Amino acid sequence: MKVLVTDPIADAGLDRLRDAGYEVETAYEVEGDALLEAVSDANGLIVRSGTQVTSEVFEAAPDLVIVGRAGIGVDNIDIEAATEHGVIVANAPEGNVRAAAEHTVAMGFAAARSIPQAHVRLKDGEWAKSDYLGNEVNGKTLGVVGLGRVGQEVAKKLGSLGMDIVAYDPYIGQERAEQLGAELVEFDDCLSRADFLTVHTPLTSETEGLISTDELATMGSGYLINCARGGVVDEAALAQAVEDGVLDGAAVDVFADEPVSADNPLLSVDDIVVTPHLGASTSAAQENVAVSTADQVIAALREEPVMNALNAPSVDESAFPRIRPYIDIAETAGQIAAQLLDARIGEVEVSYQGDIAAEDVELVTASALKGVFTPLEWQVNAVNAPQIAKERGIDVTESKSRQSEDFQSLVEVTVRNGEDEMTIAGTLFAGEDPRIVRIDGYRLDAIPHGTMLVARNYDKPGVIGFIGTILGENNVNIAGMFNARRAKAGGEALTVYNLDDAIPDDVREKLLDDERIIDVDVITL
């Protein structure tokens, strides 16, 4: 398998991939048609911020499994297109958290104490001691817009230096904020109370231009620090606010367009400290994100869970061994249910009973959907299965119960179309031995494998022998058989046959010609 790396990453990440047995091709600064050609046979793609991973890239890469972003921001990756093509997008949010937080703190101090400006003048031979009267952080209020990983780390560091912390983040709970010593407030309140305002949000349609002229006026004074993403803060408005004295100063590490142009207004204001996107530029951070990204690419190519997947269900590494066997059971149950219903599906319900109900089963549910759509949809996987359900207008529900009548753990997949429905239940025997234990209310013990013939018939003598004879006459070998009936003798019964070969349509018709046979379905797994 081939992994294409189009932006430079630390050698430790490249070595990790090679040691795992993958072919690594580096093609730095490749773009346009050259990028499309380079990625055409790639199974994995690793980028930083320099490569634009567009829908055209996914169209050109039919074998692509994962795009790994060696860093946090993914605004250069079309995640929606990735999802449509079943490609995982994963980033490395932990590797450079400390580096980004430390740079944010350093930028705040640099702005408050005019360190770069004083440095330049002293280098030019000026002893300008009386020109710079700085501000201390002790006793001041830090406003944090976006209390994610980096925002939390900054809050902890500056909180320990005596700052009061207020934060705006609609996606974090009050309890977590209190653990960090932060007071959750509304956006305007965060701006108005902050002596130092630090921004830590991704760049999205919601956050682009989040802080502009009106918001800076709400601050009224103090310092703004942006080491998150360019475009969140209106650069022209910030330059004007500092120039006019609305703010005391600012510190900016990221820009809407990078490399920054010489006429960017932030560069001409003396009280604005600027650096060329250095937040993650430490040797430790670069090695950490490279190794983390490589590990996630390896996991995806091995069909293991990807810890930092942004468009696919992920699971904690320690929990994966407990749910892994049920991923296959759910997928198999979904495949059988969809093929037996044999109708347009309007609803999918995945139910968990027993010990499995205590686990994080998002990945298991996605795998069940994959199974449901596999007979119906080309190139479906756990990444795009939830999106396919949404696009088709299929309702997906998930239920859990710690109680299970007969099994330690049980997974049920039900597909519905109006009043018709089909339920398949699976479990594990003897550790990791999968079994289908219920089909449409019939209780049995079937091995889900290969070609399965599911026959419904009236429970009369000779039916099973008749089926065996027809299959034998047509050179179809029976590898296993599992029989069940729902009522008393003479009622309806269901039998599952594991076959070594598929059966032709004319053989199925011969079976259906017998009045004792109600229906015959051939399931392919």
Side-chain angles (χ1 to χ4, degrees), residues 373-397:
F373 298 137
T374 292
L376 313 171
E377 189 77 28
W378 182 253
Q379 216 174 19
V380 62
N381 58 23
V383 178
N384 58 15
Q387 180 70 17
I388 290 172
K390 183 178 179 180
E391 291 172 352
R392 287 172 169 250
I394 296 173
D395 294 328
V396 179
T397 58

Side-chain angles (χ1 to χ4, degrees), residues 145 187-188 191 197 199 206-220 224 226 231-242 246-247:
V145 177
F187 183 53
D188 285 349
L191 298 179
L197 186 78
V199 179
E206 294 180 348
T207 62
E208 186 172 9
L210 178 67
I211 297 177
S212 190
T213 302
D214 291 344
E215 290 74 25
L216 296 170
T218 299
M219 286 184 64
L224 183 142
N226 183 16
V232 175
V233 178
D234 183 327
E235 294 172 355
L238 177 60
Q240 194 65 52
V242 176
V246 175
L247 295 186

Side-chain angles (χ1 to χ4, degrees), residues 253-269:
D253 183 50
V254 290
F255 302 86
D257 295 308
E258 297 180 357
V260 67
S261 62
D263 60 353
N264 188 295
L266 296 175
L267 305 184
S268 61
V269 181

Side-chain angles (χ1 to χ4, degrees), residues 142-319:
L142 175 70
V144 183
V145 177
L147 205 55
R149 293 178 176 89
V150 179
Q152 290 181 22
E153 191 69 19
V154 171
K156 286 189 287 186
K157 291 182 183 301
L158 290 176
S160 68
L161 296 178
M163 297 195 79
D164 297 322
I165 313 295
V166 296
Y168 169 74
D169 191 325
Y171 304 107
I172 196 169
Q174 183 67 46
E175 182 178 352
R176 178 56 181 156
E178 290 175 355
Q179 291 172 352
L180 297 164
E183 178 187 353
L184 276 185
V185 297
E186 294 301 318
F187 183 53
D188 285 349
D189 197 17
C190 183
L191 298 179
S192 64
R193 291 172 60 180
D195 299 303
F196 290 78
L197 186 78
T198 181
V199 179
H200 299 286
T201 70
L203 179 64
T204 67
S205 58
E206 294 180 348
T207 62
E208 186 172 9
L210 178 67
I211 297 177
S212 190
T213 302
D214 291 344
E215 290 74 25
L216 296 170
T218 299
M219 286 184 64
S221 62
Y223 301 87
L224 183 142
I225 309 159
N226 183 16
C227 295
R229 305 302 296 175
V232 175
V233 178
D234 183 327
E235 294 172 355
L238 177 60
Q240 194 65 52
V242 176
E243 185 73 35
D244 293 345
V246 175
L247 295 186
D248 298 317
V252 178
D253 183 50
V254 290
F255 302 86
D257 295 308
E258 297 180 357
V260 67
S261 62
D263 60 353
N264 188 295
L266 296 175
L267 305 184
S268 61
V269 181
D270 187 54
D271 288 326
I272 297 179
V273 177
V274 291
T275 51
H277 206 148
L278 299 180
S281 294
T282 69
S283 57
Q286 292 305 301
E287 182 167 323
N288 288 341
V289 298
V291 170
S292 174
T293 305
D295 285 344
Q296 294 189 83
V297 169
I298 292 168
L301 297 182
R302 290 176 175 173
E303 298 186 352
E304 296 174 354
V306 177
M307 295 300 110
N308 294 311
L310 300 175
N311 63 335
S314 58
V315 63
D316 186 84
E317 190 172 6
S318 63

